[in-house]
């Protein structure tokens, strides 16, 4: 069974059934002791792109937003380490659409939407993401650099994943602290079908 370790803020780690280790937007929390086979970066803000936070296994691949979107509006999919990765839109006034991506990860029979930093996108409104029949999705809700938890709840309804999780709930401007990794009040204010609230340091069986 694949597992997700939520490290806090917008950082999390997957361990696939075959032992492959995938980090998404590394920056905060603990759990960087396991060597990475694949590191994914949705955009180049400091709180998402600390790709040397963990040891790299031999042959480790690091894929960044510019790899997934080499030119504005031109999206490239990848198949790496047993993971199919399809980029989708991610954007708001603090995150230009041509510099950011969300990622739909397919592995071990699951589809996981790693939204990155975003607000409501055309890919959500159009039903493109809903048509992917996603199993899990994460949504930021700090209400400063990203949308509010109310808008995140609306996005979760548009995306229609089987399970949705709130992440990135505190605006980050410096080094992470226990207080900036998570906000319980905002997490509880997030509403979605199949909501899961996962806390920093908690590992979830997918």
């Amino acid at each position: 069974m694949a597992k997700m370790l939520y490290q806090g803020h917008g950082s999390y780690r997957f361990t696939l059934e075959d032992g492959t280790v995938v980090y998404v937007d590394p920056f905060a929390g603990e759990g960087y002791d396991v060597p990475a086979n694949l590191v994914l970066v949705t955009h180049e803000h400091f709180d998402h792109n600390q790709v040397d936070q963990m040891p790299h296994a031999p042959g480790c691949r690091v894929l960044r937003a510019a790899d997934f979107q080499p030119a504005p509006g031109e999206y490239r999919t990848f198949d790496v380490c047993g993971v199919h990765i399809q980029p989708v839109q991610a954007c708001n006034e603090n995150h230009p659409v041509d510099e950011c991506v969300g990622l739909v990860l397919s592995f071990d029979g699951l589809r996981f939407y790693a939204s990155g930093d975003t607000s409501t996108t055309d890919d959500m409104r159009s039903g493109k993401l809903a048509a992917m029949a996603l199993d899990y999705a994460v949504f930021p809700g700090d209400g400063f650099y990203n949308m509010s938890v109310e808008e995140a709840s609306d996005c979760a309804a548009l995306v229609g994943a089987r399970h949705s999780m709130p992440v990135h709930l505190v605006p980050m401007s410096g080094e992470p602290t226990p207080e900036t990794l998570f906000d319980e009040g905002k997490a509880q204010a997030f509403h979605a079908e199949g909501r899961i609230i996962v806390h920093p340091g908690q590992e979830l069986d997918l």
Side-chain angles (χ1 to χ4, degrees):
M1 178 179 292
K3 298 178 182 294
M4 172 194 170
L5 171 67
Y6 179 47
Q7 295 163 294
H9 193 54
S11 305
Y12 40 100
R13 185 190 82 197
F14 297 111
T15 304
L16 279 54
E17 290 180 354
D18 66 359
T20 296
V21 176
V22 182
Y23 290 86
V24 179
D25 285 349
F27 167 67
E30 300 180 352
Y32 294 96
D33 53 321
V34 182
N37 300 108
L38 176 62
V39 184
L40 303 175
V41 175
T42 62
H43 63 289
E44 294 297 341
H45 286 174
F46 77 98
D47 57 333
H48 291 259
N49 70 352
Q50 302 303 306
V51 299
D52 294 323
Q53 192 94 330
M54 76 297 290
H56 291 194
C60 176
R61 292 286 302 276
V62 177
L63 294 174
R64 302 174 179 270
D67 298 306
F68 294 107
Q69 189 179 188
E74 176 188 329
Y75 294 99
R76 296 177 57 197
T77 62
F78 286 82
D79 288 281
V80 184
C81 299
V83 183
H84 178 75
I85 313 164
Q86 179 175 344
V88 295
Q89 291 175 333
C91 60
N92 57 35
E93 63 181 7
N94 300 300
H95 298 88
V97 68
D98 58 346
E99 297 177 8
C100 305
V101 293
L103 301 171
V104 175
L105 313 178
S106 300
F107 55 85
D108 295 341
L110 299 170
R111 287 183 177 173
F112 190 107
Y113 172 43
S115 64
D117 278 10
T118 192
S119 298
T120 311
T121 68
D122 289 341
D123 283 350
M124 297 178 193
R125 296 186 189 95
S126 69
K128 176 179 177 178
L129 281 159
M132 294 181 183
L134 299 163
D135 296 289
Y136 295 90
V138 297
F139 298 92
D142 63 62
F144 188 85
Y145 295 113
N146 288 291
M147 56 189 165
S148 66
V149 289
E150 291 79 11
E151 185 179 348
S153 300
D154 292 339
C155 289
L158 290 173
V159 171
R162 196 160 52 89
H163 296 288
S164 297
M165 293 174 267
V167 298
H168 203 304
L169 297 172
V170 182
M172 186 69 65
S173 59
E175 289 298 313
T177 66
E179 292 73 27
T180 58
L181 291 184
F182 194 74
D183 185 308
E184 185 68 32
K186 287 183 180 178
Q188 293 294 338
F190 175 78
H191 297 287
E193 290 290 328
R195 182 188 75 172
I196 297 174
I197 294 178
V198 59
H199 297 90
Q202 182 180 349
E203 191 167 52
L204 183 68
D205 292 333
L206 300 178

